Structures are given as C-alpha cells and as structure tokens.
Coordinates of all heavy atoms in Angstrom, one line a residue:
M1 N 1.0 20.3 22.4 CA -0.3 20.9 22.4 C -0.2 22.4 22.9 O -1.1 23.1 22.5 CB -1.2 20.1 23.4 CG -1.7 18.8 22.7 SD -2.6 19.0 21.2 CE -4.3 19.1 21.8
P2 N 0.7 22.8 23.8 CA 0.7 24.2 24.2 C 0.8 25.1 23.0 O 0.1 26.2 23.0 CB 1.9 24.3 25.1 CG 2.1 22.9 25.6 CD 1.7 22.0 24.5
Q3 N 1.6 24.8 22.0 CA 1.8 25.7 20.9 C 0.4 25.8 20.1 O 0.1 26.9 19.6 CB 2.9 25.3 20.0 CG 3.2 26.3 18.9 CD 4.3 25.9 18.0 OE1 4.6 24.7 17.8 NE2 5.0 26.9 17.5
I4 N -0.3 24.7 20.0 CA -1.5 24.7 19.3 C -2.5 25.6 20.0 O -3.2 26.4 19.4 CB -2.1 23.3 19.2 CG1 -1.2 22.4 18.3 CG2 -3.5 23.3 18.6 CD1 -1.6 21.0 18.3
D5 N -2.5 25.5 21.4 CA -3.4 26.4 22.2 C -3.0 27.8 22.0 O -3.9 28.7 21.8 CB -3.3 26.0 23.6 CG -4.0 24.6 23.9 OD1 -4.8 24.2 23.1 OD2 -3.6 24.0 24.9
D6 N -1.7 28.1 22.0 CA -1.3 29.5 21.8 C -1.7 30.0 20.4 O -2.1 31.2 20.3 CB 0.3 29.6 21.9 CG 0.7 29.3 23.4 OD1 -0.1 29.4 24.3 OD2 1.9 29.0 23.6
I7 N -1.5 29.2 19.4 CA -1.9 29.6 18.0 C -3.4 29.9 18.0 O -3.8 30.9 17.4 CB -1.5 28.5 17.0 CG1 0.0 28.5 16.9 CG2 -2.2 28.7 15.7 CD1 0.5 27.4 16.0
R8 N -4.2 29.0 18.5 CA -5.7 29.2 18.5 C -6.1 30.5 19.3 O -7.0 31.2 18.9 CB -6.4 28.0 19.0 CG -6.3 26.8 18.0 CD -6.9 25.6 18.5 NE -8.4 25.7 18.7 CZ -9.3 25.6 17.8 NH1 -8.9 25.4 16.5 NH2 -10.6 25.7 18.1
N9 N -5.4 30.7 20.5 CA -5.7 31.9 21.3 C -5.4 33.2 20.5 O -6.1 34.1 20.6 CB -5.0 31.8 22.6 CG -5.6 30.8 23.6 OD1 -6.8 30.5 23.4 ND2 -4.9 30.3 24.5
A10 N -4.2 33.1 19.8 CA -3.8 34.3 19.1 C -4.8 34.6 18.0 O -5.0 35.8 17.7 CB -2.4 34.1 18.5
F11 N -5.4 33.6 17.4 CA -6.3 33.9 16.3 C -7.7 34.3 16.8 O -8.2 35.3 16.4 CB -6.4 32.6 15.4 CG -7.3 32.8 14.2 CD1 -6.8 33.4 13.1 CD2 -8.6 32.3 14.3 CE1 -7.6 33.6 12.0 CE2 -9.4 32.5 13.1 CZ -9.0 33.1 12.0
F12 N -8.2 33.5 17.7 CA -9.6 33.8 18.2 C -9.7 34.9 19.2 O -10.8 35.5 19.2 CB -10.2 32.5 18.7 CG -10.5 31.4 17.6 CD1 -9.7 30.3 17.6 CD2 -11.4 31.6 16.7 CE1 -9.9 29.3 16.6 CE2 -11.6 30.7 15.7 CZ -10.9 29.5 15.6
F13 N -8.8 35.0 20.1 CA -8.9 36.0 21.2 C -8.1 37.3 20.9 O -8.6 38.4 21.3 CB -8.6 35.4 22.5 CG -9.5 34.2 22.8 CD1 -9.0 32.9 22.9 CD2 -10.8 34.4 23.1 CE1 -9.8 31.9 23.2 CE2 -11.7 33.3 23.4 CZ -11.1 32.1 23.4
K14 N -6.9 37.2 20.4 CA -6.1 38.4 20.2 C -6.3 39.0 18.8 O -5.9 40.1 18.6 CB -4.6 38.0 20.3 CG -4.2 37.6 21.7 CD -2.8 37.3 21.8 CE -2.4 36.9 23.3 NZ -1.0 36.4 23.4
G15 N -7.0 38.2 17.9 CA -7.4 38.8 16.6 C -6.2 38.9 15.6 O -6.4 39.6 14.6
L16 N -5.1 38.1 15.8 CA -4.0 38.1 14.9 C -4.5 37.3 13.6 O -5.2 36.4 13.7 CB -2.8 37.5 15.5 CG -2.2 38.3 16.7 CD1 -1.0 37.5 17.2 CD2 -1.8 39.7 16.3
N17 N -3.9 37.7 12.5 CA -4.3 37.0 11.3 C -3.2 35.8 11.1 O -2.3 35.7 11.9 CB -4.3 37.8 10.0 CG -3.0 38.4 9.6 OD1 -1.9 37.8 9.8 ND2 -3.0 39.6 9.1
I18 N -3.5 34.9 10.2 CA -2.7 33.7 10.0 C -1.2 34.0 9.7 O -0.3 33.4 10.3 CB -3.3 32.8 9.0 CG1 -4.7 32.3 9.5 CG2 -2.4 31.7 8.5 CD1 -5.5 31.5 8.5
S19 N -1.0 35.0 8.9 CA 0.4 35.4 8.6 C 1.2 35.9 9.8 O 2.3 35.5 10.0 CB 0.5 36.4 7.5 OG 0.0 35.9 6.3
E20 N 0.5 36.7 10.6 CA 1.1 37.2 11.8 C 1.4 36.1 12.8 O 2.5 36.1 13.4 CB 0.2 38.3 12.5 CG 0.0 39.5 11.7 CD -1.1 40.4 12.2 OE1 -2.0 39.9 12.8 OE2 -1.0 41.6 12.0
I21 N 0.5 35.2 12.9 CA 0.7 34.1 13.9 C 1.9 33.2 13.4 O 2.7 32.7 14.2 CB -0.6 33.2 14.0 CG1 -1.7 34.1 14.6 CG2 -0.3 32.0 14.8 CD1 -3.1 33.5 14.6
A22 N 1.9 32.9 12.1 CA 3.0 32.1 11.5 C 4.4 32.7 11.8 O 5.3 32.0 12.2 CB 2.8 31.9 10.0
R23 N 4.5 34.0 11.6 CA 5.7 34.7 11.9 C 6.1 34.6 13.4 O 7.2 34.4 13.8 CB 5.7 36.2 11.5 CG 6.0 36.4 10.0 CD 6.2 37.8 9.7 NE 5.0 38.6 9.9 CZ 4.0 38.8 9.1 NH1 4.0 38.3 7.9 NH2 3.0 39.6 9.4
K24 N 5.1 34.9 14.2 CA 5.3 34.9 15.7 C 5.7 33.6 16.2 O 6.7 33.5 17.0 CB 4.0 35.3 16.4 CG 4.1 35.4 17.9 CD 2.8 35.9 18.5 CE 3.0 35.9 20.0 NZ 1.8 36.5 20.7
F25 N 5.1 32.5 15.8 CA 5.5 31.1 16.3 C 6.5 30.4 15.4 O 6.8 29.2 15.7 CB 4.2 30.3 16.5 CG 3.3 30.9 17.5 CD1 2.2 31.6 17.2 CD2 3.6 30.7 18.9 CE1 1.4 32.1 18.2 CE2 2.8 31.2 19.9 CZ 1.7 31.9 19.6
K26 N 6.9 31.0 14.3 CA 7.9 30.4 13.4 C 7.4 29.1 12.9 O 8.1 28.1 12.9 CB 9.2 30.3 14.1 CG 9.8 31.6 14.4 CD 11.2 31.5 15.0 CE 11.9 32.8 15.2 NZ 11.7 33.5 16.4
V27 N 6.2 29.1 12.4 CA 5.6 27.9 11.7 C 5.0 28.3 10.4 O 4.8 29.5 10.1 CB 4.5 27.2 12.6 CG1 5.1 26.6 13.8 CG2 3.4 28.2 12.9
D28 N 4.8 27.3 9.5 CA 4.2 27.6 8.2 C 2.8 28.1 8.3 O 2.0 27.7 9.2 CB 4.3 26.3 7.4 CG 4.0 26.6 5.9 OD1 4.8 27.2 5.2 OD2 2.9 26.1 5.5
R29 N 2.3 28.9 7.4 CA 0.9 29.4 7.4 C -0.1 28.2 7.3 O -1.1 28.3 7.8 CB 0.7 30.4 6.3 CG 1.4 31.7 6.5 CD 1.1 32.7 5.4 NE 1.9 32.3 4.2 CZ 1.4 32.1 3.0 NH1 0.1 32.4 2.8 NH2 2.1 31.7 2.0
K30 N 0.3 27.2 6.5 CA -0.6 26.1 6.4 C -0.8 25.4 7.7 O -1.9 24.9 8.0 CB 0.0 25.1 5.3 CG 0.0 25.6 3.9 CD 0.6 24.6 3.0 CE 0.7 25.2 1.6 NZ 1.4 24.2 0.7
T31 N 0.3 25.3 8.5 CA 0.1 24.7 9.8 C -0.8 25.5 10.7 O -1.6 25.0 11.4 CB 1.5 24.6 10.5 OG1 2.4 23.8 9.6 CG2 1.5 23.9 11.8
V32 N -0.6 26.8 10.7 CA -1.5 27.7 11.5 C -2.9 27.5 11.0 O -3.8 27.3 11.8 CB -1.1 29.2 11.3 CG1 -2.1 30.1 12.0 CG2 0.3 29.4 11.9
R33 N -3.2 27.5 9.7 CA -4.5 27.4 9.2 C -5.1 26.0 9.6 O -6.3 26.0 10.0 CB -4.5 27.4 7.7 CG -5.8 27.6 7.0 CD -5.8 27.9 5.5 NE -5.1 29.1 5.2 CZ -3.9 29.2 4.6 NH1 -3.3 28.1 4.1 NH2 -3.3 30.3 4.3
K34 N -4.3 25.0 9.6 CA -4.8 23.6 10.0 C -5.2 23.7 11.5 O -6.3 23.2 11.9 CB -3.7 22.6 9.8 CG -4.1 21.2 10.3 CD -3.0 20.2 10.0 CE -2.1 20.2 11.2 NZ -1.1 19.1 11.1
Y35 N -4.4 24.3 12.4 CA -4.7 24.3 13.8 C -5.9 25.2 14.1 O -6.7 24.9 15.0 CB -3.5 24.8 14.6 CG -2.3 23.8 14.6 CD1 -1.1 24.3 14.9 CD2 -2.5 22.5 14.4 CE1 0.0 23.4 14.9 CE2 -1.5 21.6 14.4 CZ -0.2 22.0 14.7 OH 0.8 21.2 14.7
V36 N -6.0 26.3 13.3 CA -7.1 27.2 13.6 C -8.5 26.6 13.2 O -9.5 26.7 13.9 CB -6.9 28.5 12.8 CG1 -8.1 29.4 12.8 CG2 -5.8 29.3 13.5
Y37 N -8.5 25.9 12.1 CA -9.8 25.5 11.6 C -10.1 24.0 11.9 O -11.2 23.5 11.6 CB -9.9 25.7 10.0 CG -9.9 27.1 9.7 CD1 -8.8 27.7 9.0 CD2 -10.9 28.0 10.1 CE1 -8.8 29.0 8.6 CE2 -10.9 29.3 9.8 CZ -9.8 29.8 9.1 OH -9.8 31.2 8.8
Q38 N -9.2 23.3 12.5 CA -9.5 21.9 12.9 C -10.4 21.9 14.1 O -10.2 22.5 15.1 CB -8.2 21.2 13.3 CG -8.4 19.7 13.5 CD -7.0 19.0 13.7 OE1 -6.0 19.6 13.4 NE2 -7.1 17.8 14.1
E39 N -11.5 21.2 13.9 CA -12.5 21.1 15.0 C -12.5 19.8 15.8 O -12.6 19.8 17.0 CB -13.9 21.3 14.4 CG -14.1 22.7 13.9 CD -15.5 23.0 13.5 OE1 -16.4 22.2 13.8 OE2 -15.7 24.0 12.7
N40 N -12.3 18.7 15.1 CA -12.3 17.4 15.8 C -10.8 17.0 16.0 O -10.1 16.6 15.1 CB -13.0 16.3 14.9 CG -13.1 15.0 15.7 OD1 -12.6 14.9 16.8 ND2 -13.8 14.1 15.1
W41 N -10.4 17.1 17.3 CA -9.0 16.8 17.6 C -8.8 15.3 17.9 O -7.6 14.9 18.2 CB -8.5 17.6 18.8 CG -8.5 19.0 18.4 CD1 -9.4 20.0 18.5 CD2 -7.4 19.7 17.8 NE1 -9.0 21.2 18.0 CE2 -7.7 21.0 17.5 CE3 -6.1 19.3 17.4 CZ2 -6.9 21.9 16.9 CZ3 -5.2 20.2 16.8 CH2 -5.6 21.5 16.6
N42 N -9.8 14.5 17.9 CA -9.7 13.1 18.1 C -9.3 12.3 16.9 O -8.8 11.2 17.0 CB -11.0 12.5 18.7 CG -11.3 13.1 20.0 OD1 -10.3 13.3 20.8 ND2 -12.5 13.3 20.3
V43 N -9.5 12.9 15.7 CA -9.2 12.2 14.5 C -7.8 12.6 14.0 O -7.4 13.7 14.0 CB -10.2 12.6 13.4 CG1 -9.9 11.9 12.0 CG2 -11.6 12.2 13.8
S44 N -7.0 11.6 13.7 CA -5.7 11.8 13.2 C -5.7 12.3 11.8 O -6.4 11.8 10.9 CB -4.8 10.5 13.3 OG -3.6 10.8 12.7
T45 N -4.9 13.4 11.5 CA -4.9 13.9 10.1 C -3.8 13.3 9.3 O -3.7 13.4 8.1 CB -4.7 15.4 10.2 OG1 -3.5 15.7 10.9 CG2 -5.8 16.1 10.8
D46 N -2.9 12.5 10.0 CA -1.8 11.9 9.3 C -2.2 10.5 9.0 O -2.3 9.6 9.8 CB -0.5 11.8 10.2 CG 0.0 13.2 10.5 OD1 -0.2 14.1 9.6 OD2 0.6 13.4 11.6
T47 N -2.4 10.2 7.7 CA -2.8 8.9 7.2 C -1.8 8.5 6.2 O -1.6 9.3 5.2 CB -4.2 8.8 6.7 OG1 -4.3 9.8 5.7 CG2 -5.2 9.1 7.8
K48 N -1.2 7.4 6.3 CA -0.2 6.9 5.4 C -0.9 5.9 4.5 O -1.5 5.0 4.9 CB 1.0 6.3 6.0 CG 1.9 7.3 6.8 CD 3.1 6.6 7.3 CE 4.0 7.7 8.0 NZ 5.2 7.2 8.4
A49 N -0.7 6.1 3.2 CA -1.3 5.2 2.2 C -0.4 3.9 2.2 O 0.8 3.9 2.3 CB -1.3 5.8 0.8
K50 N -1.1 2.8 2.0 CA -0.4 1.5 1.9 C 0.3 1.5 0.6 O -0.3 1.9 -0.4 CB -1.4 0.4 2.0 CG -0.8 -1.0 2.0 CD -1.8 -2.1 2.1 CE -1.1 -3.4 2.0 NZ -2.1 -4.5 2.0
K51 N 1.6 1.1 0.6 CA 2.3 1.1 -0.6 C 1.9 -0.1 -1.5 O 1.7 -1.2 -1.0 CB 3.8 0.9 -0.3 CG 4.4 2.2 0.3 CD 5.9 2.0 0.4 CE 6.5 3.3 1.0 NZ 7.9 3.2 1.2
V52 N 1.6 0.3 -2.7 CA 1.2 -0.7 -3.7 C 2.2 -0.7 -4.8 O 2.6 0.3 -5.3 CB -0.2 -0.4 -4.2 CG1 -0.7 -1.4 -5.2 CG2 -1.2 -0.3 -3.1
F53 N 2.5 -1.9 -5.2 CA 3.5 -2.1 -6.3 C 2.8 -2.9 -7.4 O 3.1 -4.1 -7.5 CB 4.8 -2.8 -5.8 CG 5.4 -2.1 -4.7 CD1 5.3 -2.5 -3.4 CD2 6.2 -0.9 -4.9 CE1 5.9 -1.8 -2.3 CE2 6.8 -0.2 -3.9 CZ 6.6 -0.7 -2.6
P54 N 2.0 -2.3 -8.2 CA 1.3 -3.1 -9.2 C 2.1 -3.8 -10.2 O 1.8 -4.9 -10.7 CB 0.4 -2.0 -9.9 CG 1.0 -0.7 -9.6 CD 1.7 -0.9 -8.3
K55 N 3.3 -3.3 -10.6 CA 4.1 -3.9 -11.5 C 4.8 -5.2 -11.0 O 5.1 -6.1 -11.7 CB 5.2 -3.0 -12.0 CG 4.7 -1.9 -12.9 CD 5.8 -1.0 -13.4 CE 5.2 0.1 -14.3 NZ 6.3 0.9 -14.9
L56 N 4.9 -5.3 -9.6 CA 5.5 -6.4 -9.0 C 4.5 -7.5 -8.7 O 4.9 -8.6 -8.4 CB 6.3 -6.0 -7.7 CG 7.6 -5.3 -7.9 CD1 8.2 -4.9 -6.5 CD2 8.6 -6.1 -8.7
E57 N 3.3 -7.2 -8.7 CA 2.2 -8.1 -8.2 C 2.3 -9.5 -8.9 O 2.2 -10.5 -8.2 CB 0.8 -7.4 -8.5 CG -0.3 -8.1 -7.6 CD 0.0 -7.9 -6.1 OE1 0.4 -6.9 -5.7 OE2 -0.3 -8.9 -5.4
P58 N 2.5 -9.6 -10.2 CA 2.5 -10.9 -10.8 C 3.7 -11.7 -10.3 O 3.7 -13.0 -10.4 CB 2.7 -10.6 -12.3 CG 2.3 -9.2 -12.5 CD 2.5 -8.5 -11.2
F59 N 4.8 -11.1 -9.8 CA 6.0 -11.8 -9.4 C 6.1 -11.9 -7.9 O 7.1 -12.5 -7.4 CB 7.2 -11.0 -9.9 CG 7.1 -10.7 -11.4 CD1 6.8 -9.4 -11.8 CD2 7.3 -11.7 -12.3 CE1 6.8 -9.2 -13.2 CE2 7.3 -11.5 -13.7 CZ 7.0 -10.2 -14.1
K60 N 5.1 -11.5 -7.1 CA 5.2 -11.4 -5.7 C 5.4 -12.8 -5.1 O 6.2 -13.0 -4.2 CB 3.9 -10.8 -5.1 CG 4.0 -10.5 -3.7 CD 2.8 -9.7 -3.2 CE 3.0 -9.4 -1.7 NZ 1.9 -8.6 -1.2
E61 N 4.7 -13.8 -5.5 CA 4.8 -15.1 -5.0 C 6.2 -15.7 -5.2 O 6.8 -16.3 -4.3 CB 3.8 -16.1 -5.6 CG 2.4 -15.8 -5.2 CD 1.4 -16.8 -5.8 OE1 1.8 -18.0 -6.1 OE2 0.2 -16.5 -5.9
D62 N 6.8 -15.5 -6.4 CA 8.1 -15.9 -6.7 C 9.1 -15.2 -5.8 O 10.0 -15.9 -5.2 CB 8.5 -15.7 -8.1 CG 7.7 -16.6 -9.1 OD1 7.3 -17.7 -8.7 OD2 7.6 -16.2 -10.3
I63 N 9.0 -13.9 -5.6 CA 9.9 -13.1 -4.8 C 9.8 -13.6 -3.3 O 10.9 -13.8 -2.7 CB 9.6 -11.6 -4.9 CG1 9.9 -11.1 -6.3 CG2 10.4 -10.8 -3.8 CD1 9.4 -9.7 -6.6
D64 N 8.6 -13.8 -2.8 CA 8.4 -14.3 -1.4 C 9.1 -15.7 -1.3 O 9.7 -16.0 -0.2 CB 7.0 -14.4 -1.1 CG 6.3 -13.0 -0.9 OD1 7.1 -12.0 -0.6 OD2 5.1 -12.9 -0.9
Q65 N 8.9 -16.5 -2.3 CA 9.5 -17.9 -2.2 C 11.0 -17.8 -2.2 O 11.7 -18.5 -1.4 CB 9.1 -18.7 -3.4 CG 9.6 -20.1 -3.4 CD 9.1 -20.9 -4.6 OE1 8.4 -20.4 -5.4 NE2 9.6 -22.1 -4.8
W66 N 11.6 -16.9 -3.0 CA 13.1 -16.7 -3.0 C 13.6 -16.2 -1.7 O 14.6 -16.7 -1.2 CB 13.5 -15.7 -4.1 CG 13.2 -16.2 -5.5 CD1 13.1 -17.4 -5.9 CD2 13.1 -15.3 -6.6 NE1 12.8 -17.4 -7.3 CE2 12.8 -16.1 -7.7 CE3 13.1 -13.9 -6.8 CZ2 12.6 -15.6 -9.0 CZ3 12.9 -13.4 -8.1 CH2 12.7 -14.3 -9.2
I67 N 12.9 -15.3 -1.1 CA 13.3 -14.8 0.2 C 13.2 -15.9 1.3 O 14.2 -16.0 2.1 CB 12.4 -13.6 0.7 CG1 12.6 -12.4 -0.3 CG2 12.6 -13.2 2.1 CD1 11.7 -11.3 -0.1
E68 N 12.2 -16.7 1.3 CA 12.1 -17.8 2.2 C 13.2 -18.8 2.0 O 13.8 -19.3 3.0 CB 10.7 -18.5 2.1 CG 9.6 -17.7 2.7 CD 9.8 -17.3 4.2 OE1 10.2 -18.2 4.9 OE2 9.5 -16.2 4.5
E69 N 13.5 -19.1 0.8 CA 14.6 -20.1 0.5 C 15.9 -19.5 0.9 O 16.8 -20.2 1.5 CB 14.6 -20.4 -1.0 CG 13.5 -21.2 -1.5 CD 13.5 -21.4 -3.0 OE1 14.3 -20.9 -3.7 OE2 12.5 -22.1 -3.5
D70 N 16.1 -18.2 0.7 CA 17.4 -17.6 1.2 C 17.5 -17.6 2.7 O 18.6 -17.8 3.2 CB 17.4 -16.2 0.6 CG 18.8 -15.5 0.8 OD1 19.8 -16.2 0.4 OD2 18.8 -14.4 1.4
K71 N 16.4 -17.5 3.4 CA 16.4 -17.5 4.9 C 16.8 -18.9 5.3 O 17.6 -19.1 6.3 CB 15.1 -17.1 5.5 CG 14.7 -15.7 5.4 CD 13.4 -15.5 6.0 CE 12.9 -14.0 5.9 NZ 11.6 -13.8 6.5
R72 N 16.3 -19.9 4.7 CA 16.6 -21.3 5.1 C 18.1 -21.7 4.7 O 18.7 -22.4 5.5 CB 15.7 -22.3 4.3 CG 14.3 -22.3 5.0 CD 13.5 -23.4 4.3 NE 12.6 -22.6 3.4 CZ 12.1 -23.0 2.3 NH1 12.3 -24.3 1.9 NH2 11.3 -22.3 1.6
D73 N 18.6 -21.1 3.7 CA 20.0 -21.4 3.3 C 21.0 -20.8 4.2 O 22.2 -21.2 4.3 CB 20.2 -21.1 1.8 CG 19.4 -21.9 0.8 OD1 19.0 -23.0 1.3 OD2 19.3 -21.5 -0.3
S74 N 20.7 -19.7 4.8 CA 21.6 -18.9 5.6 C 21.8 -19.5 7.0 O 21.2 -20.2 7.5 CB 21.1 -17.5 5.8 OG 21.1 -16.9 4.5

C-alpha cells in the first residue's frame, strides 16, 4: 500500500503525469493509471473466471467415475 499512496500523492499533489510516475516507481503506466483512478479500494479488481470445458461436459460423469474407480483400486 505505501507504493500506491506514493503514486497517488505524486499524481494529485506533486502534479507528475502518469508516464513520469511510471518511470519514477518502475511500474507500468497501466498500473499507475489503475491506482490513480481507482476510487473504491474495498472491491477486488482481480477476478478469476471459472474454467469451463464445454467440449468435456458430455463426458464429465464418465471421467469422474473413472477417477473414483482409480482411487479405489490404488
């Protein structure tokens, strides 16, 4: 968090632009832009999509059954 505070202070109080801040803190410009314009810090921006395998869906029950049988045989 200290780096985020430093980035926001450099932008809002020191008047540095995004490229200057990115060079100064050795981070990507997109990262600086995200930190500068993010208002709600309680919401996570990292969301992982659930993996979906539509081609395997018809075979999922068989695969699960094979795995269970393999566990019992071992």
